[in-house]
Amino acid sequence: GNLLVVSSYRSVGSYTTESAWLDHGIVGKISTDNGKTWGEEQVIFLGINWEPYILQLRSGELQIYWTNTTNHILPSGNNQSTGTAILRSFDNGYTWTGDITVPYSGQVVAKQATENYDGVQFYTDQMPVAVELQNGMIALALESRLDRNRTYRITMAYSDDNWAEEIPADGEGPADKFTNRFIGTAPYIRQFPSGEVILRYSRLETS
């Protein structure tokens, strides 16, 4: 019955510095009176991030999905590598898994390799939105940036075991994935009581 809100914060001034993770993170607040008042702001993650999204499973477990970003300062120029990670709460958002004193301490659940610059492998799968389907499977809608030329696709990832396996730093996944299926950005997904699943995304039409 409580309300939980989370927000990404970041400092434009340090976005492309080695210590950028110190100035970026995710914060949350809880209201126990239907939004009339709110508790203290809680920092629940440190690191460059975008688009945090909350999902509560039928078990009661809360999950925050977000674009997990690593900034690389390379001779060819600065660029970000992304993927999607999660934090979990088993007490209605009061405490979370991970260690906020360790940057990028979330569990990575989706990413795919894209380009290689100056010997560094870049990844994508970002802007996540998740839903627990009626059959218990988690469906995760993602935006995949395939290059620096604004080539974006919509990717779907699935888990029937609540992301039991973490993707390593040099790996890709998950195994159950529908990669780069549609041209588009900024997905959103929902399932209606009828069972129908709707995937919505933005697409720029060009002549």
Side-chain angles (χ1 to χ4, degrees), residues 7-136:
S7 176
S8 170
Y9 70 90
R10 57 180 181 259
S11 168
V12 175
S14 70
Y15 196 74
T16 56
T17 66
E18 291 287 358
S19 61
W21 69 273
L22 293 168
D23 300 324
H24 310 258
I26 298 173
V27 293
K29 281 189 174 186
I30 295 174
S31 174
T32 60
D33 56 10
N34 203 33
K36 294 178 181 178
T37 61
W38 293 85
E40 292 296 318
E41 185 174 89
Q42 177 188 11
V43 179
I44 56 182
F45 173 75
L46 285 176
I48 302 174
N49 70 94
W50 314 328
E51 300 111 9
Y53 180 83
I54 302 171
L55 173 67
Q56 186 166 34
L57 305 181
R58 286 188 285 274
S59 66
E61 177 185 334
L62 278 168
Q63 299 177 339
I64 297 177
Y65 294 74
W66 76 92
T67 302
N68 195 38
T69 307
T70 303
N71 185 59
H72 294 286
I73 301 175
L74 305 174
S76 59
N78 299 340
N79 201 16
Q80 286 77 44
S81 183
T82 70
T84 288
I86 65 170
L87 292 177
R88 305 172 190 263
S89 174
F90 302 98
D91 58 5
N92 293 312
Y94 287 96
T95 62
W96 296 87
T97 58
D99 182 351
I100 67 167
T101 66
V102 178
Y104 316 115
S105 61
Q107 175 190 349
V108 177
V109 296
K111 67 187 178 97
Q112 64 171 303
T114 55
E115 303 162 298
N116 190 294
Y117 289 104
D118 299 323
V120 176
Q121 180 63 60
F122 283 76
Y123 296 90
T124 191
D125 288 346
Q126 57 196 32
M127 210 166 187
V129 179
V131 63
E132 183 182 22
L133 302 176
Q134 292 172 3
N135 63 4

Side-chain angles (χ1 to χ4, degrees), residues 2 9 11 18 25 37 76 83 123 145 155 168 172 193 196 198 201:
N2 292 350
Y9 70 90
S11 168
E18 291 287 358
T37 61
S76 59
Y123 296 90
R145 188 189 74 163
T155 290
E172 300 181 75
E196 182 180 14
I198 299 295
Y201 56 93

